[in-house]
Amino acid sequence: MLVEDRTQARRIEETRRDFVVNVSHELKTPVGGLRLLAEAVEDAADDAEAVARFAGRMKTETVRLANLVQEIVDLSRLQGADTVAAAKPVDLGECAVRATEETRLLAESRNIEVLLRADEEPHVVLGDENLLTTAIRNLVSNAVNYSPADTRISVVVTTDDDDVAVQVTDQGIGLSAADVERIFERFYRVDPARSRQTGGTGLGLAIVKHVCANHGGRIRVWSEPGVGSTFEMQFPCWSAEREHHLADPDAPLTPSARPVLATSGAPTKEVQ
């Protein structure tokens, strides 16, 4: 008699099937919009002003489609690996500098001030610099997109004996307890209307969650509707004493991945 536990395999198959269904649904919107805009351009061929207006909207839709495809690719890669293959010591402070610079134009266009505070000492973790920068950038971009004008966003990087933490705090719309339970789900949007205006795909926080998991870290959320939100990523601190991991290719990247945590108010809850 041969007994095989297929629970994990079936769960993966269900996740993959749901992902394909969600991707198909999300791709239909910009593709359908482009088709309608192309027909409008064709009908208005003799109206230069209308053609220019429709062409501008087509450009917006193509940018949104390109962002969606790129984030789908990024998320697929992250879901396919438990750890980061080409890991190396990375300074999270430098990642935070890059991420805030890449979002500065977006913030300035909304008259939002982004402040970065990081000690001069290195904030070193073991991982992939591009992935870690992407995770911080996604948090800052979300903070900008869900904050009103004339507000402030702070990005703080700290290190203690065991962990390096990155906190992104905004003065935005905040999250309800129900939203906190779901914000790390793929394609979930707190405010669909706002997401359409900003070009949000609903994948940014899912990517953040997987980046944290693949680096042995965790993410926590504190939020209050109408007040704002704080997202905190924590990663195991890398030090010279741990360099033996680099010399041993069979050694795990980090300790066992810690759970993704979310809080709204006092209690802390695990997000499945």
Side-chain angles (χ1 to χ4, degrees), residues 2-254:
L2 175 64
V3 179
E4 182 180 5
D5 185 356
R6 304 267 311 161
T7 303
Q8 184 65 20
R10 289 194 175 186
R11 184 178 295 115
I12 293 174
E13 291 174 4
E14 291 175 359
T15 301
R16 184 181 295 113
R17 184 168 56 250
D18 292 342
F19 184 67
V20 170
V21 170
N22 288 332
V23 167
S24 301
H25 175 73
E26 294 295 327
L27 288 174
K28 285 169 61 177
T29 301
V31 170
L34 286 171
R35 184 187 65 185
L36 293 175
L37 288 169
E39 293 174 355
V41 169
E42 185 178 19
D43 294 338
D46 297 329
D47 187 344
E49 184 179 347
V51 169
R53 184 173 67 255
F54 291 137
R57 292 176 60 185
M58 290 177 71
K59 183 178 179 180
T60 300
E61 289 299 323
T62 55
V63 170
R64 179 179 301 178
L65 182 59
N67 291 340
L68 176 59
V69 171
Q70 184 58 54
E71 291 196 341
I72 290 172
V73 171
D74 292 342
L75 187 58
S76 298
R77 288 174 178 170
L78 287 167
Q79 288 179 317
D82 294 329
T83 59
V84 179
K88 62 181 182 180
V90 176
D91 189 337
L92 266 187
E94 295 179 358
C95 294
V97 171
R98 284 179 51 194
T100 52
E101 285 301 318
E102 291 171 3
T103 55
R104 194 168 299 281
L105 285 178
L106 175 63
E108 290 177 350
S109 69
R110 301 171 183 271
N111 201 29
I112 295 174
E113 184 180 14
V114 179
L115 301 176
L116 172 62
R117 181 168 63 85
D119 299 332
E120 293 184 359
E121 65 182 78
H123 306 276
V124 183
V125 301
L126 185 64
D128 184 290
E129 182 176 3
N130 290 329
L131 289 178
L132 293 167
T133 301
T134 296
I136 299 173
R137 184 176 64 245
N138 285 355
L139 291 182
V140 178
S141 297
N142 261 21
V144 172
N145 289 331
Y146 287 91
S147 295
D150 302 315
T151 57
R152 178 179 297 174
I153 295 170
S154 66
V155 182
V156 180
V157 186
T158 57
T159 298
D160 60 25
D161 293 336
D162 299 318
D163 296 294
V164 179
V166 180
Q167 281 192 344
V168 178
T169 302
D170 63 58
Q171 300 170 325
I173 63 175
L175 301 166
S176 67
D179 287 330
V180 168
E181 292 288 342
R182 301 191 59 190
I183 52 174
F184 294 102
E185 295 178 11
R186 297 183 299 266
F187 300 110
Y188 181 76
R189 297 176 176 88
V190 174
D191 185 347
R194 186 185 292 263
S195 294
R196 285 193 295 270
Q197 295 172 359
T198 61
T201 63
L203 291 175
L205 290 180
I207 290 174
V208 172
K209 181 185 74 172
H210 284 285
V211 170
C212 288
N214 288 6
H215 286 77
R218 65 179 181 180
I219 182 166
R220 296 187 292 179
V221 185
W222 296 268
S223 188
E224 185 175 345
V227 176
S229 305
T230 295
F231 287 77
E232 181 185 73
M233 294 187 295
Q234 287 186 338
F235 301 97
C237 183
W238 175 259
S239 63
E241 289 76 12
R242 301 178 185 178
E243 287 186 359
H244 65 276
H245 287 282
L246 291 176
D248 184 359
D250 296 325
L253 169 63
T254 59

